[in-house]
Amino acid sequence: MPQLIRRAFFRRSVLEVAPDLIGATLLVDGVGGRIVELEAYHHTDPAAHSFRGPTTRNAVMFGPPGYAYVYRSYGIHWCLNFVCEPKGSASAVLIRALEPTTGLATMRRRRGVKDERLLCSGPGRLCEALGVTHAHNGLALDAPPFRLYARDGAIEVLTGLRIGITKAVELPWRYGLKGSRFLSKPFKPKA
DNA sequence: TGCCCGATTAACT
DNA sequence: GTTAATCGGGCAA
């Protein structure tokens, strides 16, 4: 039986937490799957929403670790983050892709697609599949509707450059599960 | 108040 | 490969 992830898990640097979450299982109201792709954002990082200080939108990032930060992307999609590090450091991991395992029919209905690879492969797609909205902003990750199970068994984690940003593009803060078919985009092979 | 643009996606050519 | 959709945040005035 996999171990439940509790809030203390997030009381570390986002750069330690992010690779540890690869292979973990995320469920929202019993629907979800295995985390196969993440990106780290840090308060000293110009690409992070928290870089310019606290605002109404990013307030949760400046609160305690172990909570969900949900924001609207391009006025259209929702994106889900987990707040990390001790309170005030304003770091978070963006959940970018899941391998769907639980509640496939629900996810297909919400997404309007049949192909499993299109259900949760992308930050906006997985929020739609799991029913994550602004209503989840600020909720604790170790209480309903969230459930998080630690990775069970050995895996290999890939690292690479983050996607879709224009600042601090050189930081290798994207993490992925090696060999997964459910990544939002392939990782560049090692040179 | 007005303007620009984004941690995206899907539907194009 | 390119581009429209769509809107709130952040910053200048």
Short mmCIF file of all heavy atoms in Angstrom, two decimals, chain A residues 24-28 31-35 80 82 95 98 126 130 141 146-149:
data_model
loop_
_atom_site.label_atom_id
_atom_site.label_comp_id
_atom_site.label_asym_id
_atom_site.label_seq_id
_atom_site.Cartn_x
_atom_site.Cartn_y
_atom_site.Cartn_z
N ALA A 24 4.77 9.98 -8.09
CA ALA A 24 3.73 10.02 -7.05
C ALA A 24 2.36 10.03 -7.73
O ALA A 24 2.24 10.38 -8.90
CB ALA A 24 3.90 11.26 -6.18
N THR A 25 1.32 9.67 -6.97
CA THR A 25 -0.02 9.63 -7.52
C THR A 25 -0.86 10.77 -6.94
O THR A 25 -0.89 10.96 -5.73
CB THR A 25 -0.69 8.28 -7.22
OG1 THR A 25 0.01 7.26 -7.92
CG2 THR A 25 -2.15 8.27 -7.67
N LEU A 26 -1.50 11.53 -7.83
CA LEU A 26 -2.36 12.65 -7.44
C LEU A 26 -3.80 12.34 -7.81
O LEU A 26 -4.10 12.03 -8.97
CB LEU A 26 -1.92 13.92 -8.17
CG LEU A 26 -2.92 15.09 -8.13
CD1 LEU A 26 -3.07 15.64 -6.72
CD2 LEU A 26 -2.51 16.21 -9.09
N LEU A 27 -4.68 12.41 -6.79
CA LEU A 27 -6.11 12.24 -7.05
C LEU A 27 -6.85 13.47 -6.54
O LEU A 27 -6.49 14.03 -5.50
CB LEU A 27 -6.66 11.01 -6.32
CG LEU A 27 -6.03 9.66 -6.65
CD1 LEU A 27 -6.70 8.55 -5.84
CD2 LEU A 27 -6.09 9.34 -8.13
N VAL A 28 -7.85 13.91 -7.30
CA VAL A 28 -8.75 14.98 -6.86
C VAL A 28 -10.16 14.41 -6.91
O VAL A 28 -10.64 14.07 -7.99
CB VAL A 28 -8.62 16.23 -7.75
CG1 VAL A 28 -9.60 17.31 -7.29
CG2 VAL A 28 -7.20 16.76 -7.73
N VAL A 31 -10.16 11.11 -8.70
CA VAL A 31 -9.84 11.05 -10.12
C VAL A 31 -8.43 11.58 -10.35
O VAL A 31 -8.08 12.64 -9.82
CB VAL A 31 -10.84 11.89 -10.94
CG1 VAL A 31 -10.43 11.98 -12.40
CG2 VAL A 31 -12.24 11.32 -10.81
N GLY A 32 -7.63 10.85 -11.13
CA GLY A 32 -6.28 11.35 -11.39
C GLY A 32 -5.33 10.28 -11.87
O GLY A 32 -5.73 9.35 -12.56
N GLY A 33 -4.05 10.41 -11.48
CA GLY A 33 -3.05 9.47 -11.97
C GLY A 33 -1.67 9.77 -11.41
O GLY A 33 -1.52 10.49 -10.42
N ARG A 34 -0.69 9.21 -12.12
CA ARG A 34 0.69 9.26 -11.68
C ARG A 34 1.35 10.51 -12.28
O ARG A 34 1.22 10.76 -13.49
CB ARG A 34 1.35 8.00 -12.23
CG ARG A 34 2.71 7.67 -11.77
CD ARG A 34 3.09 6.40 -12.54
NE ARG A 34 4.35 5.84 -12.08
CZ ARG A 34 5.10 5.04 -12.82
NH1 ARG A 34 4.69 4.72 -14.05
NH2 ARG A 34 6.22 4.55 -12.36
N ILE A 35 2.07 11.25 -11.43
CA ILE A 35 2.74 12.47 -11.89
C ILE A 35 3.97 12.10 -12.70
O ILE A 35 4.84 11.39 -12.22
CB ILE A 35 3.12 13.36 -10.69
CG1 ILE A 35 1.88 13.82 -9.92
CG2 ILE A 35 3.95 14.56 -11.17
CD1 ILE A 35 2.19 14.57 -8.63
N LEU A 80 -2.20 24.01 -11.90
CA LEU A 80 -2.10 23.58 -10.50
C LEU A 80 -0.64 23.53 -10.05
O LEU A 80 0.20 22.93 -10.72
CB LEU A 80 -2.73 22.19 -10.36
CG LEU A 80 -2.57 21.49 -9.01
CD1 LEU A 80 -3.28 22.26 -7.90
CD2 LEU A 80 -3.09 20.06 -9.10
N PHE A 82 1.98 23.11 -6.35
CA PHE A 82 2.11 22.78 -4.93
C PHE A 82 3.13 23.72 -4.32
O PHE A 82 4.26 23.81 -4.79
CB PHE A 82 2.59 21.33 -4.74
CG PHE A 82 1.68 20.28 -5.29
CD1 PHE A 82 2.17 18.99 -5.52
CD2 PHE A 82 0.34 20.54 -5.59
CE1 PHE A 82 1.34 18.00 -6.03
CE2 PHE A 82 -0.49 19.55 -6.10
CZ PHE A 82 0.02 18.27 -6.32
N ILE A 95 2.41 21.31 -11.73
CA ILE A 95 2.14 19.95 -12.19
C ILE A 95 1.83 20.02 -13.67
O ILE A 95 0.85 20.63 -14.08
CB ILE A 95 0.93 19.33 -11.44
CG1 ILE A 95 1.06 19.58 -9.93
CG2 ILE A 95 0.80 17.85 -11.75
CD1 ILE A 95 2.31 19.02 -9.31
N LEU A 98 0.19 14.08 -16.10
CA LEU A 98 -0.10 12.85 -15.36
C LEU A 98 -0.26 11.71 -16.35
O LEU A 98 -0.69 11.91 -17.48
CB LEU A 98 -1.41 12.96 -14.58
CG LEU A 98 -1.65 14.06 -13.57
CD1 LEU A 98 -3.02 13.87 -12.94
CD2 LEU A 98 -0.57 14.08 -12.52
N LEU A 126 -4.63 18.68 -17.58
CA LEU A 126 -4.84 17.85 -16.39
C LEU A 126 -5.79 18.54 -15.40
O LEU A 126 -6.55 17.87 -14.70
CB LEU A 126 -3.50 17.47 -15.74
CG LEU A 126 -2.71 18.49 -14.93
CD1 LEU A 126 -3.11 18.50 -13.48
CD2 LEU A 126 -1.24 18.17 -15.05
N LEU A 130 -9.15 16.69 -14.09
CA LEU A 130 -9.34 16.45 -12.66
C LEU A 130 -10.37 17.39 -12.03
O LEU A 130 -10.66 17.28 -10.84
CB LEU A 130 -8.01 16.59 -11.92
CG LEU A 130 -7.15 15.31 -11.81
CD1 LEU A 130 -6.81 14.74 -13.18
CD2 LEU A 130 -5.87 15.57 -11.04
N LEU A 141 -3.07 20.10 0.70
CA LEU A 141 -2.87 18.96 -0.20
C LEU A 141 -3.03 17.62 0.51
O LEU A 141 -3.10 16.58 -0.15
CB LEU A 141 -1.48 19.04 -0.84
CG LEU A 141 -1.29 20.26 -1.74
CD1 LEU A 141 0.17 20.43 -2.12
CD2 LEU A 141 -2.15 20.14 -2.98
N PHE A 146 -8.10 16.53 -2.18
CA PHE A 146 -6.82 16.03 -2.68
C PHE A 146 -6.41 14.74 -1.98
O PHE A 146 -6.71 14.54 -0.80
CB PHE A 146 -5.71 17.07 -2.46
CG PHE A 146 -5.85 18.29 -3.32
CD1 PHE A 146 -6.29 19.49 -2.79
CD2 PHE A 146 -5.55 18.23 -4.68
CE1 PHE A 146 -6.43 20.62 -3.59
CE2 PHE A 146 -5.68 19.36 -5.48
CZ PHE A 146 -6.12 20.56 -4.93
N ARG A 147 -5.71 13.88 -2.70
CA ARG A 147 -5.04 12.74 -2.12
C ARG A 147 -3.74 12.52 -2.89
O ARG A 147 -3.75 12.52 -4.12
CB ARG A 147 -5.91 11.49 -2.17
CG ARG A 147 -5.74 10.63 -0.92
CD ARG A 147 -6.63 9.40 -0.96
NE ARG A 147 -7.97 9.71 -1.46
CZ ARG A 147 -8.76 8.78 -2.02
NH1 ARG A 147 -8.36 7.55 -2.13
NH2 ARG A 147 -9.96 9.12 -2.44
N LEU A 148 -2.63 12.37 -2.15
CA LEU A 148 -1.32 12.22 -2.77
C LEU A 148 -0.64 10.99 -2.18
O LEU A 148 -0.51 10.88 -0.96
CB LEU A 148 -0.45 13.45 -2.46
CG LEU A 148 -0.52 14.63 -3.41
CD1 LEU A 148 0.21 15.82 -2.81
CD2 LEU A 148 0.12 14.26 -4.75
N TYR A 149 -0.19 10.08 -3.05
CA TYR A 149 0.52 8.89 -2.61
C TYR A 149 1.96 8.96 -3.08
O TYR A 149 2.23 9.28 -4.25
CB TYR A 149 -0.13 7.63 -3.18
CG TYR A 149 -1.50 7.37 -2.63
CD1 TYR A 149 -2.63 7.58 -3.41
CD2 TYR A 149 -1.68 6.93 -1.32
CE1 TYR A 149 -3.91 7.34 -2.91
CE2 TYR A 149 -2.94 6.69 -0.80
CZ TYR A 149 -4.05 6.90 -1.61
OH TYR A 149 -5.30 6.67 -1.11
#
